[in-house]
Amino acid sequence: MNAVVTAEFSVPGAGELLEVAPGVLWLRMPLPFDLDHINLYILDDIDGWVVVDCGLGNSDTRAVWEKVIASLLDGKPVKKVILTHAHIDHIGAAGWLCQRAEAPLWITAGEQVTAHEYFQVSGDDSDHFAATAKSFLHRLGMNNKQSEGIMGIFTGISTLIHPLPEDTCELQENSVINIGNLEWQVIISEGHSEAHACLYSEALGVLISGDQVLPRISSNVSVRPGKPEANPLLTWLDSLARLKALPADTLVLPAHERPFYGLRARLTGLLDEHHDTLLQVEQACSEPLTVMQLAGLIYKRKLSLFDLLLAGGECLANLNYLLAEKRVQSHLNDAGVLVFSQRP
Ligand SMILES: [Zn+2]
């Protein structure tokens, strides 16, 4: 299959379940963002259900879950909650659902670490978190007003996650989870988040891809405040290339937008897009510039504060990749802001 083809399912309405493969149900949850929904999947485990991703920790999400639990799960319990990764739209309601259903949480070790960072924003480590984040934003070239606004966003995000269970079960690369009569293989990828888990059923020919492969939009790959020197784009590109080993006719169930076929075509498209952007960034560095100046050149539109954070993190991911390849160089200017330029 040489093109991305949307699977011919109607989109389930709010609080409805749609079977997209035997024993695999699709549930949409609302999100109060530009991207206004997340897809969750519920897997039939014969005497109960396994939930993959949970939605935000807010009242809208909890209301949908209450409806689903009360009327759509045939009176069978949720036995397990699996998270692809710890971004807020996936993990927010997880702690609540685990408690509500008395179900264990399954998550990779890397995502567990990320999850706990949400609680640093307003917890005992809040001063340390604020200092690290502000210094990071300053180095990107943000002014104080932008930086203060983004700190407010961090605080807002941290209110959308329920406390997690103290004990969790660890998802590991290549481990196999038996659900119903099916085996689901865990495939861990890095770059979009610390250790993102996809689930693959060879028997069904289905990949639950989380945010690792989306049909149209490209997942954000950002350098984060706590790891300013990281090179997430390198591991991201490797992760995308590895998924090409899956069969060409795999049905991909993404966390956003619609299920699709054409996994390899989508992966090739994503890899090409990233390499094009890297070239564009390298060329932009013919004039010395800060990360924020680069974001202005690359995104060419007015960015909200949240988009500015994503754009800054993503531009730095491109620059750190080019730094590692010795295609650009960087220094801190007198104001303590990073400046990138092409190597002489
Ligand atoms: Zn994500």
Side-chain angles (χ1 to χ4, degrees), residues 236-255:
W236 171 251
L237 295 177
D238 283 350
S239 300
L240 292 179
R242 277 196 299 130
L243 287 174
K244 282 190 173 181
L246 295 180
D249 59 353
T250 299
L251 171 64
V252 184
L253 304 180

Side-chain angles (χ1 to χ4, degrees), residues 264-286:
R264 288 185 192 166
R266 183 60 188 135
L267 293 168
T268 301
L270 282 167
L271 287 162
D272 289 350
E273 268 175 43
H274 280 292
H275 286 294
D276 286 350
T277 305
L278 282 165
L279 263 184
Q280 219 185 324
V281 171
E282 185 178 12
Q283 282 160 7
C285 289
S286 58

Side-chain angles (χ1 to χ4, degrees), residues 85 87 89-90 192-193 196 211 256:
H85 64 302
H87 288 166
D89 46 337
H90 301 253
H192 172 64
S193 62
H196 177 296
D211 282 358
H256 304 287

